[in-house]
Amino acid sequence: MRNLFILGTALAMSLGFWSTALAQPPRQPHAGELAAGLRRLGVTGSVLYVAAHPDDENTRFLAWLAGERGLRAGYLSMTRGDGGQNLIGTEQDELLGLIRTHELLAARRVDGAEQMFTRARDFGYSKSADETLRIWGHDEVLADVVLAIRRFRPEVIVTRFTTQPPNHGHHTASALLAAEAFEAAADPKRFPEQLGELKPWKADRLLNNVASWNLKPDTDMSAYLKVDVGGYDPLLGRSWGEIAAESRSQHKSQGFGVAAERGTQMEYFTPLAGTRPKSDLFEGLELTWRRWSGTEKVLQAIDEASRGFDPRAPHLSIPALVRVHEAISGLPADNPWKAIKLRETEALMAACAGLFLEARAAEPAAVPGGQVTLNLVALNRSPAALRLVSVTLPGGESVGTGTELADDKPFKLSRPVSIPENARISTPYWLRKPIAGGLYALEESDRALTGRPEGEPALSVGFVYELAGKRFTVTRPVVYVWTDPVRGELYRAFEIAPAVTATLDRDVIMFPNGATQSVSVVLAAGRADASGKVRLEVPQGWRVEPAEASFQLAARGEERTLRFQVTPAKGAGERGRLRVVVDSGGRSESWRVRTVTHDHVPPLTVRQPSEATLVPFTLATKVRRIGYIPGPGDRVAESLAAVGYEVTLLPEERLASEQLSRFEAIVVGVRAFNANPRLAHHHERLMKYVEQGGRLLVQYNTNSFVGPLTASIGPYPLEIGRQRVTDETAAMTPVKANHPVLKNPNPLVAADFEGWVQERGLYFASKWDDRYQPVFAMKDPGEEPLRGGLLIARHGKGTFIYTGLAFFRQLPAGVPGAYRLFANLLVQ
């Protein structure tokens, strides 16, 4: 069914007004886009751009490739960006990767390129390619890059980064892998398991897109290939720089909104392997149908269709497009562009007819064994003669229609369909299996999806129609559509949901000093009249009260919260697992649901087994009342509340009126000064709070040429740099062995610095006044120790602390030592 879905979207993707995302509202291309699509039919070349993360791609180059040159452009991102930080919400790790996947799809929808991935996880900043490839698994990720090349078959491969350090290890690794895959993809002895429908592919050349953001204005660039990507297309009424800026601005979770660029925009390149052009990127390459003999009829038909296009009556081009289709159909089956251009031609014919086909579900989800009503619409918005022959419903039932679509009158069909009992629960395919190591593990049935942005739609409907004497089949994914009173009509993918989900309120549950914890489970009904029992499975010796709880949910979507008291086994000191089991309808299942909702992406749902990590540990605290100034992507406040602190959120607008002296300590969230420049106005008041005996702990803020930190954050001069320690196992060496932070109220030992995740810290202080005392020295392998990760200064009667230690990762991950260290900081 996927090939049929692509059939209906190939043209739209190529013109940049329809990405591959399943939950996108339909958009009819305007006449300028149709004209560009006709011109593009004659181009038979592709370029693959390779880098490491969402936001690494050069959107103005991609927009120029797809728009100005009419080439098939693709972006291969090694990762989904799950190890970064989040400017717009609290999502981290795989949920952040899901957001960034859809931000990339939104960007491709704008610039017209296609999106692909490897299975590599973004595990955070890496200082070397060796470390990166060791964690990812060199051969596994190389296989994915080779797979992308063999699928996409580019004439030209372009790397964003070079193979020369220093650089982010992911960046360097992406360039190394691209260079190795350039050769390996052509070798039938390399990864032969990929071969069958796929064939070895030899790209003609490998280029590096020279980084220009840090070049001095007078840098001599005469030795490089160059191209002006700043052109303007009157058909679209936009320059490639304007399109590129809109594309890049889709990376909202990273705060990468940029201004539009107009006029000349030079990009520079250097050849790395293969043929070596001297003056033009595509020198010596024939990227039209002329590269094959016997294509004269194709060229002539495309030329006639382009010359005869009337923007006020696109439907008049349908007969000419039929001749294009017939000419391409006559080419040999092994022509690598035959299938691609047939799909583009068919999509152009439908677009010239203004054909609208859609399959909407009456509900956003249904359960296995249930039913959903589908509402189908087919509409011809042109004078072209068009007949809907039949529709094929999920499950294979074909419904003959034989309806003439004319006079802008829609054909409508409403039909209930059954969901199979064994239907697969909807969740992103790369998140079905537990996450561990440097690669996303895929279920065997999902291996064919490797590198795809999304999986298959839950349900699809096939439409068979006749246009200009030809019969075509297009498949549409089933979507759910609703109207928001502010944002208007919105789309999301239709999903298969469990009958009941049981979602824990926390992924990690901390048990300080063996105390009983209240655990909340939110039940949600995927169908009406759901009833049964819920129980928690815990390690031997642990207690749960009540042992089970009955529930009854009358309506689909109804929710109910159940609470259990969980007590660790006496003397428990090891982590354990808790699993929520729902016994309902003769089945025992365990599903949780997490939903991501932001205005710039469709609602995204992750369904996985309902489990949590149990962490018994010892913790001494001497303060309780904490004020917390939140930062973006910050879950520290809720983590502190979960172990007994009384946490009051202090958004910026509340600081001016709040009586700060009532707090025993105030904590500033990560990047709070970056995200909210108005916090600088409260600096004097916060320093007064410290001077009068308060404790103020500021977590990391960034400071770079892109976003310089201009606000003062401490009582004395303090400069934040870009130093970090990425080795989460790096030794934490006390600068002074008897420093109070190491002893009060929790005596810290080596074990407290074990089990940290992703990194020790980032954006350490680089320069500081002598009145700040560094607490720890730490370093990455082969580097000098850094002391700016934790600084403490007395100011008046109180204490100021700056820390780049990654508490924002460690506390939500349930690292006991991080809690004990944080508790000690709060009493200094």
Side-chain angles (χ1 to χ4, degrees), residues 9 117 210 265 280 306 340 453 500 612 679 694 750 755 806 828:
T9 62
F117 297 95
V210 178
Q265 300 290 329
D280 181 81
S306 297
I340 296 170
V500 179
L679 281 182
Q828 298 305 304

Side-chain angles (χ1 to χ4, degrees), residues 5-21 27 29-30 32-47 59 61-74 105 107-115 152 233 236 240 243 321 337 339-349 351:
F5 175 62
I6 293 175
L7 175 70
T9 62
L11 168 71
M13 286 168 49
S14 71
L15 295 182
F17 53 81
W18 212 356
S19 79
T20 54
R27 181 183 162 210
H30 58 65
E33 291 165 330
L34 293 176
L38 285 164
R39 181 184 63 193
R40 184 187 177 99
L41 287 178
V43 182
T44 59
S46 57
V47 178
T59 56
F61 181 53
L62 292 175
W64 178 84
L65 287 170
E68 177 68 25
R69 298 299 297 256
L71 294 160
R72 189 182 181 204
L105 287 173
R108 301 294 80 79
R109 181 181 168 103
V110 173
D111 60 37
E114 299 175 41
Q115 184 61 50
F152 196 70
D233 190 341
L236 305 179
W240 309 123
I243 292 172
L321 284 168
W337 282 87
I340 296 170
K341 292 302 179 179
L342 282 176
R343 291 195 297 263
E344 287 187 22
T345 306
E346 291 164 15
L348 266 173
M349 293 171 65

Side-chain angles (χ1 to χ4, degrees), residues 217-293:
D218 59 349
T219 301
D220 182 7
M221 303 298 290
S222 60
Y224 297 104
L225 295 169
K226 62 182 179 180
V227 62
D228 180 5
V229 299
Y232 171 80
D233 190 341
L235 289 174
L236 305 179
R238 305 177 77 189
S239 69
W240 309 123
E242 291 170 314
I243 292 172
E246 183 184 347
S247 173
R248 187 160 184 79
S249 296
Q250 303 308 307
H251 295 297
K252 301 182 188 302
S253 64
Q254 303 186 68
F256 276 173
V258 297
E261 296 179 308
R262 301 171 181 87
T264 299
Q265 300 290 329
M266 302 305 299
E267 289 289 340
Y268 298 91
F269 302 84
T270 185
L272 300 176
T275 60
R276 296 178 176 267
K278 296 180 179 179
S279 60
D280 181 81
L281 295 187
F282 306 110
E283 180 180 297
L285 296 178
E286 176 58 70
L287 300 178
T288 74
W289 290 105
R290 292 184 180 88
R291 56 200 291 196
W292 297 284
S293 61

Side-chain angles (χ1 to χ4, degrees), residues 302-526:
I302 292 172
D303 182 60
E304 291 175 355
S306 297
R307 285 189 289 106
F309 180 71
D310 182 350
R312 293 189 175 275
H315 68 282
L316 297 178
S317 292
I318 292 174
L321 284 168
V322 169
R323 291 190 288 274
V324 172
H325 193 277
E326 291 172 343
I328 296 174
S329 297
L331 296 176
D334 61 353
N335 186 294
W337 282 87
K338 179 177 179 178
I340 296 170
K341 292 302 179 179
L342 282 176
R343 291 195 297 263
E344 287 187 22
T345 306
E346 291 164 15
L348 266 173
M349 293 171 65
C352 286
L355 178 60
F356 178 84
L357 302 170
E358 189 172 71
R360 295 187 179 187
E363 304 288 349
V367 302
Q371 275 194 339
V372 63
T373 298
L374 301 186
N375 297 306
L376 314 183
V377 176
L379 177 63
N380 174 14
R381 295 175 287 188
S382 77
L386 197 154
R387 188 170 75 95
L388 182 66
V389 177
S390 64
V391 295
T392 303
L393 300 174
E397 179 189 357
S398 180
V399 179
T401 58
T403 301
E404 298 295 332
L405 299 180
D407 301 323
D408 205 28
K409 293 179 179 178
F411 165 86
K412 295 183 179 181
L413 175 67
S414 183
R415 182 69 64 90
V417 298
S418 297
I419 309 298
E421 289 282 354
N422 62 349
R424 206 174 191 194
I425 300 301
S426 298
T427 203
Y429 74 89
W430 65 95
L431 298 178
R432 289 189 185 278
K433 297 191 73 173
I435 299 169
L439 286 182
Y440 281 112
L442 304 185
E443 292 187 353
E444 190 59 35
S445 58
D446 290 326
R447 294 287 295 180
L449 297 171
T450 299
R452 306 290 191 190
E454 295 186 282
E456 304 284 357
L459 297 178
S460 297
V461 172
F463 294 84
V464 180
Y465 64 91
E466 288 182 353
L467 178 62
K470 297 281 187 178
R471 182 169 291 194
F472 304 102
T473 300
V474 174
T475 297
R476 292 287 188 256
V478 173
V479 294
Y480 176 70
V481 184
W482 75 104
T483 303
D484 181 272
V486 174
R487 298 168 61 201
E489 188 176 66
L490 299 175
Y491 279 64
R492 66 179 297 169
F494 171 79
E495 297 177 324
I496 306 298
V500 179
T501 55
T503 305
L504 291 155
D505 58 346
R506 287 164 283 173
D507 296 336
V508 178
I509 306 172
M510 307 300 293
F511 292 85
N513 310 314
T516 297
Q517 289 280 35
S518 178
V519 175
S520 297
V521 178
V522 178
L523 299 180

